[in-house]
Amino acid sequence: MKPCVVLSNAKQQCVTFFWKENPSFYVGYRFIEHEPETLPTPLSEIETLPAALSVARPDLNKAMLPNEEADPWNKVWKASHVENDIGDGTKLSFTTFSDGAAFCWSVDNRSGQRREFFFEPTEDGVYLWMSLTTQTPITGAFCVQQCLRFTGSTNVEWRRQVACAPSLSEFDIQARGNPHETLTFVRKSNDWMKVALPHTCYHTPPGVALFKAKSGGEIDHGLIVRESLEKNSCAGMYWERTAYVSNRHPADCVHAAVDLGPLDSGGSRTVQGKVYFIEGTKDDLLAKWREDFSVNNKQ
């Protein structure tokens, strides 16, 4: 079953991935979160991290999904949205297509930058494309945070409007008296490692320049995974050019900081990622990831 992508919180710039066949499970994604982290110089060898085997973004010539068909049980979700200026110098436009895919763009008027996102659902998740075009030169690293949100039944109501995935919610597990339990894993030395609580960053080899002592250590690449306690379902996220990954509580989310720099004035860069939702173990998810991203680098 393929998910559908809708806009669930315009102010927070969040979309939601949902399955019409399973209305009690849906996952959030915040595509613009916080100011970019920058350095005056590029991240060395960031382009050597595993890259997508398919880089062509699908055609935008699709039929739009009417708003009333976006979702019958959650009226705050939108299939389309356009705003001119919300008072902080940004604009946002969003469209869901009839096949469940979605496209959005935002403009930051203060720096003359435009960011575009395309979401293409598939049977095991959602393919992602992100493009940045800038009118002002970016001389070095320009890391933008991508946020995959789970949220359980015990979290606050506004977060449950964006995501509700109790089987993958660390917040639910911790609320039941397991304050040190984690469901989140990364790859280190070609093996799985649990992500420490409550908020820890792990850098990829090129991302070390952002951290010094603040990182929890180096990992192989940017794949970050949630696995249920029963080990029968998993979710994960991977982006090309990931400088670091992290977790966050009580928001019950995982992050990837994706480097889009450097760029000349008028320049543009497109990177590809994917979020995964599967029935199976984290090893099953890893096998799928290896089919989607280049095996020429350390995995």
Side-chain angles (χ1 to χ4, degrees):
M1 298 182 295
K2 295 182 181 180
C4 186
V5 185
V6 291
L7 186 68
S8 50
N9 190 318
K11 183 177 180 180
Q12 297 293 326
Q13 304 205 51
C14 292
V15 298
T16 289
F17 309 133
F18 78 98
W19 293 256
K20 293 181 179 180
E21 301 86 353
N22 186 11
S24 61
F25 181 95
Y26 47 95
V27 180
Y29 193 88
R30 191 173 184 184
F31 51 89
I32 295 182
E33 187 173 49
H34 309 310
E35 293 294 323
E37 296 180 75
T38 63
L39 289 174
T41 56
L43 296 183
S44 176
E45 299 185 339
I46 190 72
E47 70 280 353
T48 66
L49 293 171
L53 295 174
S54 173
V55 296
R57 194 178 74 177
D59 188 1
L60 291 178
N61 187 23
K62 296 171 178 279
M64 293 175 58
L65 177 70
N67 264 319
E68 62 270 17
E69 295 182 15
D71 183 60
W73 63 85
N74 196 325
K75 300 304 181 184
V76 302
W77 295 352
K78 297 180 179 179
S80 63
H81 177 82
V82 177
E83 62 192 27
N84 292 319
D85 194 314
I86 59 174
D88 59 0
T90 65
K91 297 180 181 179
L92 175 66
S93 176
F94 177 89
T95 300
T96 297
F97 300 105
S98 58
D99 61 357
F103 174 74
C104 66
W105 58 263
S106 64
V107 175
D108 183 335
N109 291 327
R110 291 168 299 192
S111 61
Q113 292 171 350
R114 175 183 172 106
R115 219 184 295 183
E116 296 182 352
F117 295 85
F118 190 87
F119 306 87
E120 179 78 6
T122 183
E123 293 294 335
D124 60 357
V126 182
Y127 288 109
L128 310 168
W129 286 264
M130 173 169 51
S131 298
L132 174 70
T133 303
T134 181
Q135 299 308 312
T136 56
I138 298 172
T139 61
F142 190 90
C143 296
V144 295
Q145 182 164 286
Q146 301 298 286
C147 173
L148 183 61
R149 299 190 163 203
F150 298 96
T151 306
S153 58
T154 57
N155 219 315
V156 295
E157 181 178 356
W158 77 264
R159 287 195 172 114
R160 296 199 305 272
Q161 292 177 353
V162 171
C164 184
S167 62
L168 296 172
S169 169
E170 292 183 341
F171 193 83
D172 271 16
I173 292 172
Q174 293 156 13
R176 294 197 295 265
N178 301 286
H180 305 297
E181 186 63 73
T182 176
L183 305 176
T184 307
F185 297 83
V186 291
R187 299 288 290 178
K188 181 179 177 65
S189 300
N190 207 33
D191 201 359
W192 292 110
M193 178 180 71
K194 282 191 172 184
V195 174
L197 301 175
H199 176 52
T200 309
C201 298
Y202 296 94
H203 68 268
T204 62
V208 66
L210 287 172
F211 284 104
K212 298 181 180 179
K214 294 190 296 182
S215 172
E218 185 173 290
I219 56 176
D220 296 345
H221 45 68
L223 179 65
I224 187 165
V225 172
R226 281 272 178 100
E227 182 183 55
S228 67
L229 281 180
E230 297 79 14
K231 302 185 184 303
N232 58 7
S233 64
C234 278
M237 173 171 60
Y238 179 79
W239 276 100
E240 298 171 330
R241 299 174 64 91
T242 293
Y244 69 85
V245 298
S246 65
N247 61 341
R248 170 67 74 181
H249 293 277
D252 210 359
C253 54
V254 297
H255 303 140
V258 185
D259 180 29
L260 296 173
L263 287 171
D264 294 330
S265 178
S268 179
R269 186 187 304 280
T270 298
V271 293
Q272 188 171 346
K274 188 175 180 180
V275 292
Y276 294 87
F277 307 105
I278 68 165
E279 294 182 358
T281 68
K282 56 184 179 294
D283 288 321
D284 296 327
L285 191 150
L286 180 65
K288 290 180 175 291
W289 175 77
R290 285 174 168 158
E291 293 175 356
D292 292 323
F293 293 90
S294 171
V295 298
N296 294 327
N297 303 290
K298 182 174 67 173
Q299 297 188 31

